[in-house]
Amino acid sequence: MSGDNYGIQTAAGHLTVAAESKEPYAADVLAGLHEDAAQVVAKYPQKRSALLPLLHLVQSVDGYVTGRGIDFCAEVLDLTTAEVSGVATFYTQYKRHPNGEYTVGICTNTLCAIMGGDQIWDEVSEHLGIGHDETTPDGKVTLERVECNAACDFAPVVMANWEFFDNQTPDSTKQLVDDLRAGKDVKPSRGPAKVCTFKQVSRVLAGFHDGLADEGVGAGPASLEGLKLAHDRGWTAPDGKSGETATDDQQPEATSNETAAGRHTSTDSAANAPDEAVDDKPATLFDENEKNGKDS
């Protein structure tokens, strides 16, 4: 890692977490975390299901998933620190070393790559003097090589804290990272009027709305072209049963004011039922074999 404050990686790639990441939270910070965590946990039938947003909550305070953050999540959710660490090291949005104020992800997957993504990566990496998952010495920008930014219709695409910057070039991306490092407000191609900081975005991902969800354009013209073409030609989707096109009177109606027509609610599986005890042993193939009197 570049800089003295942004983690140490061994040649084998194992991260050495700084000792200060394990220092206890200040009393007021810990009280605020518990208050926020209670709101998050209350949304889930099983509190362990709140682990993902709680890890984002920790990042909104510390800027990454610290050792003390791991302990906090484990204590609140009645999990082991190993269970929490296993999740925190699985998903790339969780950082186990200090992250920059802005994460800039350059897509180098197939379409973006051939449209210039590889060149953007090479030039911006050289421009900043850092590689993948490394942070500038000023702590402003962490650079990532991304497999897909989910916006192929605007390739090559760059994201800053998961806000879209479409149809990029090496020069426009270098200007983007320079502006971010200079503390300027940077407006993405779509979405809110400016890119929020990593900590601010982490709080949103934890489930605390910032009021910017409906600000700016959500989908650009390229994304809507297929829908426009379907409308112009009168195309509709089949009903999924006979293969015939569903007419208006065949379309399912909304079941409540919370569920749109043709949609269904997201429900918890039986493994996450509200009355399931935390220590309940999940059913396994071996349990079923025992019931049937069979050997495993």
Side-chain angles (χ1 to χ4, degrees), residues 7 14 63 86 92 184 190 210 286:
H14 297 294
T92 58
K184 297 180 180 180
R190 292 169 280 139
D210 60 3
F286 300 103

Side-chain angles (χ1 to χ4, degrees), residues 93-106:
Q93 278 189 319
Y94 301 126
K95 311 300 181 183
R96 290 310 313 273
H97 53 82
N99 196 72
E101 192 172 345
Y102 299 95
T103 298
V104 175
I106 299 172

Side-chain angles (χ1 to χ4, degrees), residues 1-151:
M1 304 297 296
S2 65
D4 296 332
N5 301 319
Y6 288 89
I8 301 172
Q9 271 188 306
T10 66
H14 297 294
L15 186 69
T16 302
V17 179
E20 56 265 26
S21 87
K22 300 180 181 180
E23 293 179 358
Y25 287 109
D28 58 332
V29 175
L30 184 60
L33 273 170
H34 275 293
E35 182 178 345
D36 288 341
Q39 295 183 50
V40 174
V41 172
K43 300 176 182 179
Y44 296 87
Q46 283 295 314
K47 61 182 179 181
R48 67 172 178 267
S49 300
L51 178 55
L52 297 183
L54 283 196
L55 287 170
H56 285 299
L57 182 63
V58 167
Q59 290 196 141
S60 75
V61 173
D62 290 330
Y64 67 110
V65 179
T66 53
R68 61 188 179 185
I70 293 288
D71 291 338
F72 173 79
C73 291
E75 177 186 349
V76 169
L77 301 178
D78 292 330
L79 297 171
T80 66
T81 54
E83 289 172 320
V84 177
S85 294
V87 173
T89 54
F90 183 84
Y91 296 103
T92 58
Q93 278 189 319
Y94 301 126
K95 311 300 181 183
R96 290 310 313 273
H97 53 82
N99 196 72
E101 192 172 345
Y102 299 95
T103 298
V104 175
I106 299 172
C107 182
T108 56
N109 208 336
T110 307
L111 186 56
C112 278
I114 64 175
M115 294 293 287
D118 283 341
Q119 184 179 355
I120 292 175
W121 169 264
D122 290 341
E123 293 196 24
V124 174
S125 178
E126 182 179 1
H127 178 70
L128 293 175
I130 56 176
H132 171 70
D133 198 28
E134 294 183 350
T135 303
T136 52
D138 58 9
K140 287 290 185 179
V141 172
T142 295
L143 193 62
E144 290 186 341
R145 182 191 291 270
V146 179
E147 275 302 300
C148 184
N149 274 330

Side-chain angles (χ1 to χ4, degrees), residues 52-282:
L52 297 183
L54 283 196
L55 287 170
H56 285 299
L57 182 63
V58 167
Q59 290 196 141
S60 75
V61 173
D62 290 330
Y64 67 110
V65 179
T66 53
R68 61 188 179 185
I70 293 288
D71 291 338
F72 173 79
C73 291
E75 177 186 349
V76 169
L77 301 178
D78 292 330
L79 297 171
T80 66
T81 54
E83 289 172 320
V84 177
S85 294
V87 173
T89 54
F90 183 84
Y91 296 103
T92 58
Q93 278 189 319
Y94 301 126
K95 311 300 181 183
R96 290 310 313 273
H97 53 82
N99 196 72
E101 192 172 345
Y102 299 95
T103 298
V104 175
I106 299 172
C107 182
T108 56
N109 208 336
T110 307
L111 186 56
C112 278
I114 64 175
M115 294 293 287
D118 283 341
Q119 184 179 355
I120 292 175
W121 169 264
D122 290 341
E123 293 196 24
V124 174
S125 178
E126 182 179 1
H127 178 70
L128 293 175
I130 56 176
H132 171 70
D133 198 28
E134 294 183 350
T135 303
T136 52
D138 58 9
K140 287 290 185 179
V141 172
T142 295
L143 193 62
E144 290 186 341
R145 182 191 291 270
V146 179
E147 275 302 300
C148 184
N149 274 330
C152 302
D153 40 355
F154 294 101
V157 176
V158 173
M159 295 191 86
N161 287 347
W162 302 288
E163 298 292 353
F164 289 104
F165 289 82
D166 303 326
N167 303 310
Q168 291 297 286
T169 66
D171 287 341
S172 67
T173 308
K174 284 186 280 189
Q175 185 64 57
L176 165 63
V177 296
D178 286 347
D179 288 345
L180 291 173
R181 296 184 72 185
K184 297 180 180 180
D185 287 344
V186 177
K187 180 178 174 58
S189 302
R190 292 169 280 139
K194 70 173 184 177
V195 176
C196 296
T197 67
F198 183 77
K199 287 185 177 182
Q200 290 170 334
V201 171
S202 294
R203 184 167 178 81
V204 173
L205 293 173
F208 296 91
H209 301 299
D210 60 3
L212 303 179
D214 298 319
E215 186 174 288
V217 176
S223 300
L224 300 174
E225 189 60 32
L227 182 62
K228 177 179 180 298
L229 181 64
H231 284 167
D232 291 345
R233 300 190 179 184
W235 296 342
T236 55
D239 63 7
K241 296 179 180 178
S242 63
E244 298 176 354
T245 300
T247 59
D248 290 340
D249 60 352
Q250 292 176 312
Q251 295 289 357
E253 296 180 355
T255 56
S256 72
N257 58 6
E258 296 179 352
T259 307
R263 305 271 182 182
H264 58 81
T265 59
S266 176
T267 57
D268 293 292
S269 67
N272 199 33
D275 58 352
E276 179 189 358
V278 172
D279 295 329
D280 279 355
K281 180 182 176 182

